[in-house]
Amino acid sequence: MTNVGIDKERMEAVTSSRPTKRFKDFMSKLWKHRKGKAGLIILFGLVIFALIGHFAAPYNPLANNAAAFQPPSHAHLLGTDYIGQDILSWFMVGTGTSLVVGFTIAILSALIGVTVGVIAGYFGGKIDDVLMRAVDVLLVIPGFPLLVILQTFLPPTLETTVLILSILGWPFLARVIRSQTLTLKERQYVLASKLSGLSGMQIIFRDIIPMLIPIITINAIFIAVGGVVAQAGLAFFGLGDLRSVNWGTELYYFFNQDGIAYKAWWWLLPPGIGIIILGLGANFLSNGIFETTKPQKGG
Amino acid sequence: MMSFPLLEVKDISVEYGVDGKTIKAVNHVNLEINKGDVVAIVGESGSGKSTLAMTFLNLIEKPGRIRNGKVNYRGAKGVVDVLRMRPVDLMRYRWKEVSMIFQSAMNSLNPVMRIEGQLRDVMIEHGTDESLVDAKIDEKLKLAGLTTSIKKSYPHELSGGMKQRVNIALALACDPKLLIADEATTALDVVVQRQILTRLLKLKQDLSLSLVFITHDISLVANIAEIINVMYAGKIVERAFAKQLFENPLHPYTEALLQSIPTLEKGTAIKGIKGTPPDLSKEIKGCPFADRCPKMFDRCLAEPPELKNVGDNHYVSCHLY
Amino acid sequence: MITRRYVIRRIIYMAITFFVAITLVFLLPRLAPGNPVLIILLTKYGGIVKPQQLKILESELHISGTLWQQYISFWISLLHGNFGPSFYYYPQSVSSLIITHIPWTFFLLGTSTIISIVLGVAVGSYSGWKRGYSDSFLQSFSIGLTAVPYFWLALIFQLVFAVLVVIDGTHILPVAGAYGYFVTPGFNYQFVISLLKHSILPLATLVITSFPGFALLMRNTIVTVLDEDYVLQAKAKGLSLNTIRKSYVNKNAILPVATSVGLAFAGIVGGAFIVEEVFSYPGIGYLLYNAVTVYDYPLEEGIFLIIVIVTILANFAVDLLYAYLDPRVVLK
Ligand SMILES: Nc1ncnc2c1ncn2[C@@H]1O[C@H](COP(=O)(O)OP(=O)(O)OP(=O)(O)O)[C@@H](O)[C@H]1O
Ligand SMILES: [Mg+2]
């Protein structure tokens, strides 16, 4: 048999098969990409910020022994809230919670989305029909009201919120993965694997999923951001665990505890800016991953 | 009789800038097309055939750039350089004087517009009287060998061969003087290929068209082209009347091309051409074919050969002659 | 192309989606661990619910009988447009509450969706055609805006227009409600002006956060379409720039935008709900917010169902529009 039909991409994947080396190569490419680098720095910065918050926030965010509604000062760099909690500490700890929320949702959603998408795309037929119909249905039902209904009936904890958001976060990814799988499974090397007697599952794990990693990552990044925003929106609507310290609850208390009347801009700005920075970082990073991993065309 | 060329390409060079590299796709090419000529441009993939043809319509875009040269067209008002026309004049020139069947004919129809509409807009744009358009649409479709009922269809409803014919009808829409057919039949099966080529030739006779055939398959144009230009790495390396070229190919590359034609005789194995075309983004010092050439000698690596007339309007660019 | 077969297929999909959503709403409270409707009622309203209220609730909430019986009676009253009584606003029915509030939501949703699409398509196609400097600027600008969460922007508007920028004790723009306290609803000048003024900030919030998505999509498809062979051919045909733009580029580039409208609409619904909360805008989002705070479950359920129906119908309309715009659609 000749090599003629073997895809270049796959060849590369096989020839540099040590995962650590491939990861290193990928990172160095990403680092050279302007936006990719910016994305990495921004997201890494947020994580560091959250870690500092976890271990060394200036105050206990829930200690309320300062005067309420103080504007920023030396003692409280971002001022205090309605019961005298230090806002900087709140924000730092809240960043951690929100990031963990986003990360967990991304992982869980990606697991579901990839499973559904690959199965639908690879096996096709009836399974495909049923799964894709389910995806269509989930995509059409407006997410926020559904979240509200679900959260109403589940215990108001952060865990249930994360669970709900994970269960609702995957349909779009599944659709993307399915169409990618459809093209991948026609590739020469997949057909070769089939001829050599590998089972469907083996082919999926050996030949298909590794090729999908960039696109999964890109989508997972957006799911994470979407998850953070959705959790914040729910908390803002008064749902979920309102005692949890995160960006959403910070906005909830600002709105419901007279933040506006006291003109407490120092209380309102941090969580919004946090979300914006996260969103931009995610956008840059995914753009970087997209451009550094897309197959080179022509030449 | 000394005839003035209809289209005269003078010393044209085109480059593409990709990833910081400059690909010299067409390199100082000269070409003349006379009224009523059937000219073929033949060469391997990537030799610059399509790029050259695009310059006839001044269609080189974005990553591409015309480095120098002229494309002189002889119209009603005398000779004009197509590359330096005012935008309005260029619009009038395109399709009315020179039209083209694109290599990507399968994708060059607007997917959201009926066939009829795509014929109509170009006719109206070029001044066909509104009341005559419908009749003309039918006429062109018939000329291309289609039934007129397909005019209500969208491109996706047509087969490959039908789309190809629609493109012929389109190319004829404004009664051009020169028609360029860029790999007009590549995607089709042999029977349909024949049909379409024959039709184009017949049209040429009936409508006094000039034709330029572009193909990588020299056998396809053997019986239809009068003059054949062999292109390699952005240059024309040999030009002759078809008969002459087939009987007495001079350039080693042309020889190789002819040997790679599959024949029906048993025992003659098909020979491919060894090696690959040169990287056009690198400077080539000598003859671009040198490293694949069986007859290569010292001079071939040192200096580039010129295209010269070796008698009887047979041109070749090779140090052997 | 719109064919009968296509319409029938879309209607079937619509029915399936609707069926799933309704079944979900029916099952959720009943499947939630240890949390059937009655328990919620008793824990949340233990001392407050009047006995006669409880009795009506029991029958109208379909919480007696087997699951099947409950499910069937649930459907029957649904088909009669009857969502039962509200807990909190008792004895008002859920349907009547929704009917009084939903026009405001329609207004917000409809207007903001249309403005967002028009603005997004305009900015996106400008950007895609222009390329170069203004293109990269518009792109970064749009990407920046997509990262802004709408509830935060709504709060910023509140802060700015309710307390920070107040001239001589009057607000430049109203920050709460759908119209002024002193105007009488109806077709009179004061009312219409007041209505428009009150809608500016909620609409601005929604439009600013939703149009960049359309703009980015439009820009990218324009760029892709400009590279298509049929556009090159259109240029070769000597067509005027105007014709190329209208019949060749825009007609094709609008297609992905049209498909995205359905999905985007589901997102804008969420935005509208939260924006109504912030601006006390009396639509069903505000109603839902109140329902959540007072545990008015039937009301939540009714609102959810209504908005699902609206979204499904909107998607159906978009599908038809898409089929009209793209002749290839029947094949898919
Ligand atoms: N739009 C473009 N961008 C970058 N490079 C291009 C572009 N179009 C053509 N080229 C390059 O220019 C060279 C000549 O291409 P061209 O399409 O003219 O060749 P061709 O002889 O028509 O080949 P084929 O038989 O494959 O159509 C090739 O090296 C090609 O890679
Ligand atoms: Mg070509």
Side-chain angles (χ1 to χ4, degrees):
Chain A
M1 223 174 96
T2 59
N3 275 346
V4 176
I6 304 285
D7 286 35
K8 219 171 102 191
E9 231 180 294
R10 173 67 187 176
M11 287 296 283
E12 278 163 12
V14 172
T15 43
S16 58
S17 57
R18 277 217 324 277
T20 44
K21 177 168 181 302
R22 261 162 63 201
F23 183 71
K24 260 192 195 155
D25 288 351
F26 164 70
M27 285 311 268
S28 76
K29 257 204 220 157
L30 194 59
W31 193 250
K32 277 184 207 125
H33 187 271
R34 215 159 50 99
K35 279 190 180 167
K37 187 173 179 175
L40 282 177
I41 293 176
I42 290 175
L43 294 185
F44 194 66
L46 270 180
V47 171
I48 297 288
F49 183 73
L51 282 177
I52 297 175
H54 186 76
F55 292 108
Y59 298 87
N60 174 355
L62 298 176
N64 50 349
N65 26 31
F69 286 116
Q70 285 180 61
S73 64
H74 270 299
H76 299 280
L77 287 177
L78 287 177
T80 62
D81 67 7
Y82 72 116
I83 44 175
Q85 299 169 349
D86 178 58
I87 289 177
L88 177 62
S89 310
W90 234 91
F91 178 58
M92 292 177 94
V93 175
T95 302
T97 319
S98 287
L99 289 183
V100 170
V101 163
F103 188 75
T104 319
I105 294 172
I107 297 281
L108 292 177
S109 281
L111 273 178
I112 307 176
V114 171
T115 311
V116 171
V118 168
I119 288 180
Y122 189 82
F123 294 106
K126 277 252 157 52
I127 312 178
D128 183 23
D129 281 350
V130 171
L131 289 177
M132 283 306 112
R133 218 42 352 99
V135 165
D136 286 348
V137 168
L138 281 175
L139 281 174
V140 166
I141 296 178
F144 187 74
L146 182 57
L147 283 174
V148 170
I149 289 280
L150 287 170
Q151 186 70 74
T152 309
F153 287 105
L154 291 170
T157 63
L158 201 58
E159 286 78 11
T160 56
T161 308
V162 167
L163 203 69
I164 299 172
L165 287 169
S166 311
I167 291 172
L168 295 181
W170 58 270
F172 193 74
L173 173 64
R175 203 185 248 188
V176 175
I177 293 298
R178 170 183 175 269
S179 72
Q180 292 288 319
T181 307
L182 279 180
T183 45
L184 278 180
K185 81 170 178 185
E186 298 303 327
R187 295 271 174 93
Q188 294 293 330
Y189 64 84
V190 174
L191 297 179
S193 297
K194 245 187 216 166
L195 287 179
S196 69
L198 291 187
S199 73
M201 280 299 148
Q202 281 169 315
I203 293 174
I204 286 175
F205 281 106
R206 243 185 45 134
D207 292 337
I208 295 191
I209 291 184
M211 295 295 121
L212 294 173
I213 284 174
I215 198 147
I216 296 172
T217 317
I218 290 172
N219 278 276
I221 290 172
F222 283 115
I223 294 175
V225 177
V228 170
V229 174
Q231 185 272 326
L234 264 188
F236 187 63
F237 221 64
L239 285 166
D241 183 5
L242 296 175
R243 290 161 312 170
S244 152
V245 174
N246 62 61
W247 291 344
T249 47
E250 190 168 353
L251 290 171
Y252 173 80
Y253 288 117
F254 170 85
F255 183 58
N256 286 289
Q257 303 294 342
D258 294 328
I260 293 171
Y262 282 92
K263 303 183 187 180
W265 52 268
W266 57 90
W267 194 9
L268 172 59
L269 290 184
I273 291 174
I275 292 178
I276 293 175
I277 290 178
L278 176 67
L280 286 182
N283 200 301
F284 290 154
L285 182 62
S286 57
N287 187 287
I289 295 177
F290 178 74
E291 291 196 350
T292 46
T293 57
K294 76 176 167 199
Q296 306 286 303
K297 55 171 179 182
Chain B
M1 192 190 97
M2 176 80 198
S3 65
F4 288 102
L6 177 68
L7 190 88
E8 184 188 26
V9 176
K10 279 196 154 170
D11 196 29
I12 200 125
S13 297
V14 184
E15 330 175 314
Y16 291 100
V18 187
D19 297 335
K21 281 189 287 192
T22 309
I23 298 167
K24 291 190 174 140
V26 170
N27 227 331
H28 299 287
V29 165
N30 290 291
L31 187 69
E32 285 176 11
I33 297 155
N34 292 308
K35 197 156 174 271
D37 272 356
V38 179
V39 176
I41 302 173
V42 179
E44 279 173 299
S45 181
S47 55
K49 306 178 299 286
S50 300
T51 306
L52 177 62
M54 298 284 206
T55 64
F56 300 177
L57 282 161
N58 194 359
L59 259 186
I60 299 293
E61 287 196 332
K62 268 174 297 180
R65 194 156 65 105
I66 295 178
R67 271 316 291 259
N68 63 285
K70 286 181 180 173
V71 176
N72 287 333
Y73 180 78
R74 188 174 175 79
K77 288 181 239 155
V79 176
V80 273
D81 182 356
V82 175
L83 304 181
R84 285 164 189 83
M85 270 183 182
R86 288 185 307 156
V88 212
D89 295 331
L90 185 62
M91 261 171 62
R92 269 182 223 142
Y93 162 82
R94 285 176 174 175
W95 227 251
K96 179 88 191 137
E97 307 293 334
V98 178
S99 71
M100 184 160 173
I101 299 165
F102 284 86
Q103 182 166 13
S104 50
M106 296 298 153
N107 306 319
S108 59
L109 295 173
N110 185 350
V112 299
M113 208 169 171
R114 292 181 201 277
I115 301 306
E116 181 181 43
Q118 309 194 35
L119 279 156
R120 182 186 304 276
D121 62 6
V122 67
M123 289 179 181
I124 300 278
E125 188 79 47
H126 289 290
T128 307
D129 196 275
E130 195 79 62
S131 59
L132 303 175
V133 168
D134 282 315
K136 252 190 113 176
I137 290 176
D138 288 356
E139 176 205 324
K140 300 302 173 192
L141 288 173
K142 278 188 210 143
L143 272 182
L146 289 160
T147 55
T148 55
S149 60
I150 64 110
K151 66 184 173 186
K152 296 280 179 208
S153 311
Y154 287 98
H156 74 269
E157 296 166 326
L158 304 178
S159 70
M162 284 158 98
K163 274 191 240 183
Q164 200 69 263
R165 286 167 202 268
V166 169
N167 276 291
I168 295 176
L170 258 177
L172 297 172
C174 302
D175 309 310
K177 310 284 183 310
L178 171 65
L179 195 161
I180 307 158
D182 189 355
E183 305 275 11
T185 58
T186 317
L188 306 173
D189 64 72
V190 188
V191 180
V192 186
Q193 269 189 7
R194 280 281 152 224
Q195 285 176 356
I196 287 186
L197 288 179
T198 333
R199 184 156 295 273
L200 279 174
L201 277 185
K202 186 166 176 321
L203 289 172
K204 181 236 158 193
Q205 240 118 56
D206 299 350
L207 307 175
S208 72
L209 270 173
S210 306
L211 276 177
V212 174
F213 277 107
I214 296 178
T215 179
H216 62 270
D217 179 3
I218 195 167
S219 64
L220 202 67
V221 290
N223 305 318
I224 55 177
E226 291 152 6
I227 299 166
I228 295 181
N229 291 276
V230 179
M231 215 172 159
Y232 184 78
K235 289 186 169 197
I236 288 179
V237 294
E238 183 163 6
R239 160 166 47 234
F241 288 111
K243 201 158 163 278
Q244 215 165 10
L245 192 89
F246 276 88
E247 279 166 8
N248 180 25
L250 295 180
H251 200 287
Y253 176 64
T254 315
E255 270 182 76
L257 269 185
L258 290 173
Q259 272 163 13
S260 65
I261 299 176
T263 54
L264 291 176
E265 294 161 48
K266 271 194 194 145
T268 46
I270 304 164
K271 282 188 224 156
I273 304 171
K274 280 200 293 285
T276 49
D279 182 349
L280 295 175
S281 63
K282 299 215 174 80
E283 195 68 41
I284 301 166
K285 242 181 95 194
C287 170
F289 191 58
D291 59 346
R292 299 168 79 182
C293 184
K295 299 173 183 168
M296 186 265 285
F297 57 104
D298 292 350
R299 198 169 156 214
C300 303
L301 294 174
E303 69 182 277
E306 297 278 323
L307 187 67
K308 49 189 177 274
N309 193 343
V310 292
D312 275 347
N313 279 325
H314 195 149
Y315 291 82
V316 68
S317 141
C318 177
H319 289 311
L320 288 171
Y321 306 97
Chain C
M1 244 183 300
I2 302 183
T3 58
R4 225 177 69 201
R5 205 174 122 232
Y6 178 78
V7 174
I8 291 172
R9 267 221 327 244
R10 293 327 301 180
I11 289 178
I12 293 175
Y13 288 166
M14 193 160 78
I16 294 177
T17 314
F18 185 59
F19 179 79
V20 170
I22 287 181
T23 309
L24 212 63
V25 165
F26 171 80
L27 283 179
L28 272 174
R30 290 164 177 84
L31 291 186
N35 232 355
V37 175
L38 204 54
I39 292 178
I40 289 197
L41 288 186
L42 294 177
T43 50
K44 300 273 158 67
Y45 287 89
I48 314 165
V49 181
K50 303 182 193 88
Q52 77 269 29
Q53 236 168 302
L54 197 61
K55 217 166 152 206
I56 298 170
L57 286 175
E58 253 177 38
S59 73
E60 299 219 22
L61 282 172
H62 323 286
I63 44 177
S64 49
T66 66
L67 204 62
W68 263 121
Q69 286 166 337
Q70 294 177 26
Y71 189 52
I72 289 164
S73 73
F74 182 78
W75 264 104
I76 291 173
S77 29
L78 258 189
L79 293 177
H80 286 94
N82 176 9
F83 297 117
S86 148
F87 281 1
Y88 186 72
Y89 300 95
Y90 187 84
Q92 268 182 286
S93 73
V94 167
S95 329
S96 69
L97 282 166
I98 291 178
I99 288 171
T100 45
H101 287 82
I102 207 165
W104 297 111
T105 303
F106 278 155
F107 173 64
L108 269 195
L109 266 180
T111 322
S112 60
T113 309
I114 291 170
I115 299 180
S116 302
I117 294 172
V118 172
L119 195 62
V121 166
V123 170
S125 42
Y126 177 82
S127 185
W129 275 95
K130 255 294 201 284
R131 310 300 291 275
Y133 181 75
S134 60
D135 177 32
S136 18
F137 171 76
L138 283 173
Q139 249 189 302
S140 326
F141 185 69
S142 305
I143 290 173
L145 279 185
T146 48
V148 176
Y150 41 82
F151 40 89
W152 184 72
L153 184 63
L155 288 175
I156 293 277
F157 280 150
Q158 277 283 333
L159 190 66
V160 170
F161 291 96
V163 294
L164 292 184
V165 188
V166 180
I167 299 168
D168 297 336
T170 53
H171 296 134
I172 307 175
L173 282 173
V175 290
Y179 52 89
Y181 195 74
F182 298 106
V183 299
T184 31
F187 272 112
N188 58 70
Y189 178 77
Q190 274 91 4
F191 176 70
V192 173
I193 290 298
S194 171
L195 190 89
L196 291 179
K197 272 193 171 169
H198 279 77
S199 69
I200 289 178
L201 289 179
L203 284 181
T205 311
L206 288 173
V207 169
I208 290 175
T209 48
S210 6
F211 94 88
F214 291 116
L216 287 172
L217 181 62
M218 186 68 188
R219 185 242 167 225
N220 289 339
T221 41
I222 289 267
V223 170
T224 318
V225 169
L226 282 177
D227 246 7
E228 293 282 354
D229 296 321
Y230 53 79
V231 173
L232 184 69
Q233 171 141 319
K235 288 178 190 161
K237 279 158 90 179
L239 298 178
S240 70
L241 197 61
N242 218 359
T243 314
I244 297 178
R245 194 177 290 217
K246 246 178 41 202
S247 313
Y248 288 76
V249 181
N250 289 355
K251 245 184 160 179
N252 281 288
I254 203 75
L255 297 176
V257 178
T259 8
S260 78
V261 169
L263 290 187
F265 186 78
I268 300 179
V269 166
F273 277 26
I274 291 188
V275 163
E276 286 180 9
E277 172 199 349
V278 176
F279 291 100
S280 315
Y281 204 83
I284 56 171
Y286 188 54
L287 197 61
L288 180 63
Y289 175 63
N290 288 331
V292 166
T293 26
V294 297
Y295 307 103
D296 192 340
Y297 172 66
L299 188 52
E300 284 183 44
E301 192 182 70
I303 292 172
F304 173 71
L305 284 179
I306 280 294
I307 205 66
V308 167
I309 294 172
V310 170
T311 318
I312 292 175
L313 287 176
N315 269 278
F316 179 65
V318 169
D319 281 344
L320 289 190
L321 175 76
Y322 186 71
Y324 170 74
L325 292 174
D326 189 346
R328 287 162 297 186
V329 101
V330 220
L331 289 183
K332 288 181 199 161

